[in-house]
Amino acid sequence: MSVRRRDSLGGRAAIAGIGATEFSKDSGRSELKLAVEAVRAALDDAGLTPADVDGMVTFTMDTSPEITVAQAAGIGELSFFSRVHYGGGAACATVQQAAMAVATGVADVVVCYRAFNERSGRRFGSGVQQRDPSAEGVALGANLPSGLLTPASWVAMAAQRYLHAFHLDPSVFGPVAVADRRHAANNPAAYFHGKPITLADHAASRWIVEPLRLLDCCQETDGGQAIVVTSPERARDLRHAPAVIAAAAQGAGRAQEQMTSFYRDDLTGLPEMGVVARQLWRTSGLTPSDIDTAVLYDHFTPFVLMQLEEFGFCGRGEAADFAAGGGLEIDGRLPVNTHGGQLGEAYLHGMNGIAEGVRQLRGSSVNQVAGASNVLITAGTGVPTSGLVLTADG
């Protein structure tokens, strides 16, 4: 089965276009409007028109269906449309779905998109307000009476165990926040443009749910992002050099729940991301030492450290030392989230991170890593998730 061997998707599709709305706290328009703006911007970036599109992929959480966005954006017939579950865990999987459609000839040009008013409308950070009966609801329902009502509270359980197991304190999360905000400070598209922070700022920020402080938690954002996927051959004839999809993977671990996998034998790692990591390395043929820069899903800082360990950039319990002293910044051991991440640029369920990976390969990032040719990108953590390795063409 594919979870134990190299798959054949690598190199058979590429990202040819990226486009986004502005990132704000009050967009003043519908989520459908945001989606259409992002889709049109991505097509324009690629040098394509709506008539070229025959496939669309989004999240199950998205309020704008594929056929509705297609109609509003002037796209005609579709031969492929798909949605991926599990919130932010779906981000890289949308590109995987698109790549599979392109590689098998089911579609020629597929647009992946995500758009929401997550600040001015529904706010995920407000926690569980109401849920229809479901199997997922049963898992959440076992924890809600204890006061575990919000994403921060769910992550805090694993973060606290991580600190205890490796004899660390909450200050080790600070370098992640500082690196993201330093990168965001140079990014005009980032909400926190021009607003870096220090480790002292992190330590002084108020507790949200111990051991998480305010600056350990991502922001809430209104906006949209779209990604255009096509074949490498077609992409070479378009406006930008292709960002080749060297590998794409999804992963769910044993005893997997959505954010509340507290009955596993060990809470100090992210087994679902371990599944993704193994498959990305197998299929791409790359190793951690080959990665020039990474976009690691950062809705909460502790899970960035755990991802460094799952992908083998360092050993178990060693990520705090890896990140310390600027290890995640441009001149560090592994530049991470050079757009500012979801802590600094925008919380868009990871789709803006895919766009940053493409910019790094194009050489157009505001925090460009010199000679970047291999980029790792991950999706939501604590849930069934996904990841990508993008490489420069040729």
Side-chain angles (χ1 to χ4, degrees):
M1 55 192 295
S2 63
V3 77
R4 296 187 178 91
R5 60 176 171 79
R6 183 181 188 274
D7 64 58
S8 59
L9 184 61
R12 300 178 65 188
I15 296 174
I18 55 176
T21 66
E22 83 288 355
F23 304 133
S24 74
K25 302 302 181 185
D26 187 1
S27 72
R29 51 207 192 275
S30 71
E31 292 179 336
L32 175 59
K33 177 68 172 173
L34 293 171
V36 171
E37 288 181 22
V39 168
R40 287 176 171 166
L43 290 172
D44 183 65
D45 179 69
L48 295 169
T49 69
D52 294 307
V53 178
D54 53 3
M56 303 194 78
V57 187
T58 188
F59 293 51
T60 57
M61 277 187 175
D62 206 290
T63 60
S64 303
E66 303 94 314
I67 57 173
T68 306
V69 174
Q71 181 182 25
I75 295 167
E77 296 177 336
L78 296 176
S79 59
F80 175 72
F81 38 93
S82 177
R83 289 189 171 207
V84 188
H85 197 34
Y86 303 117
C92 295
T94 65
V95 175
Q96 182 193 39
Q97 292 267 326
M100 288 191 292
V102 168
T104 56
V106 171
D108 292 325
V109 175
V110 182
V111 178
C112 309
Y113 66 93
R114 180 74 173 110
F116 54 37
N117 285 318
E118 204 276 323
R119 174 70 182 195
S120 65
R122 175 193 174 188
R123 299 175 65 174
F124 296 116
S126 63
V128 177
Q129 302 295 310
Q130 179 180 352
R131 288 186 71 93
D132 294 328
S134 68
E136 288 177 344
V138 172
L140 284 175
N143 295 284
L144 298 180
S146 302
L148 299 178
L149 299 171
T150 65
S153 67
W154 302 328
V155 172
M157 293 283 284
Q160 193 72 276
R161 182 61 188 174
Y162 180 86
L163 295 178
H164 173 79
F166 298 115
H167 309 291
L168 303 169
D169 65 71
S171 67
V172 301
F173 304 142
V176 177
V178 169
D180 275 19
R181 288 289 296 271
R182 187 164 295 175
H183 297 155
N186 296 330
N187 179 4
Y191 184 76
F192 286 114
H193 177 227
K195 298 178 180 178
I197 60 171
T198 65
L199 290 174
D201 293 329
H202 173 267
S205 64
R206 63 184 174 89
W207 293 114
I208 299 300
V209 183
E210 291 189 54
L212 302 181
R213 296 182 178 276
L214 176 65
L215 293 179
D216 291 310
C217 306
C218 74
Q219 57 186 310
E220 296 171 305
T221 304
D222 289 6
Q225 178 80 58
I227 311 289
V228 178
V229 178
T230 188
S231 68
E233 294 77 17
R234 184 165 189 176
R236 291 184 188 110
D237 293 330
L238 300 177
R239 287 183 175 166
H240 302 283
V244 176
I245 301 165
Q250 286 182 279
R254 294 184 185 275
Q256 181 80 63
E257 293 180 3
Q258 186 166 264
M259 297 296 293
T260 58
S261 303
F262 301 139
Y263 292 96
R264 288 171 165 166
D265 293 336
D266 183 7
L267 293 183
T268 64
L270 297 166
E272 57 279 355
M273 196 59 82
V275 175
V276 170
R278 293 190 296 273
Q279 192 65 8
L280 292 181
W281 297 143
R282 271 193 292 258
T283 297
S284 69
L286 300 175
T287 68
S289 64
D290 296 313
I291 298 300
D292 301 304
T293 180
V295 179
L296 302 182
Y297 198 92
D298 59 332
H299 56 346
F300 297 99
T301 57
F303 282 175
V304 173
L305 298 184
M306 293 185 197
Q307 287 180 84
L308 290 169
E309 296 171 10
E310 291 290 350
F311 277 92
F313 291 104
C314 55
R316 297 290 182 183
E318 297 177 358
D321 288 339
F322 186 99
L328 306 182
E329 298 181 25
I330 291 298
D331 55 355
R333 297 170 65 183
L334 178 71
V336 166
N337 299 339
T338 50
H339 59 318
Q342 299 183 110
L343 291 167
E345 184 187 58
Y347 173 67
L348 217 64
H349 266 164
M351 293 295 277
N352 51 321
I354 300 173
E356 175 63 11
V358 174
R359 286 190 291 267
Q360 282 290 344
L361 295 179
R362 291 179 178 179
S364 61
S365 172
V366 294
N367 293 297
Q368 184 62 44
V369 175
S373 58
N374 299 315
V375 181
L376 169 68
I377 305 166
T378 65
T381 42
V383 296
T385 189
S386 53
L388 298 169
V389 172
L390 304 181
T391 62
D393 190 34

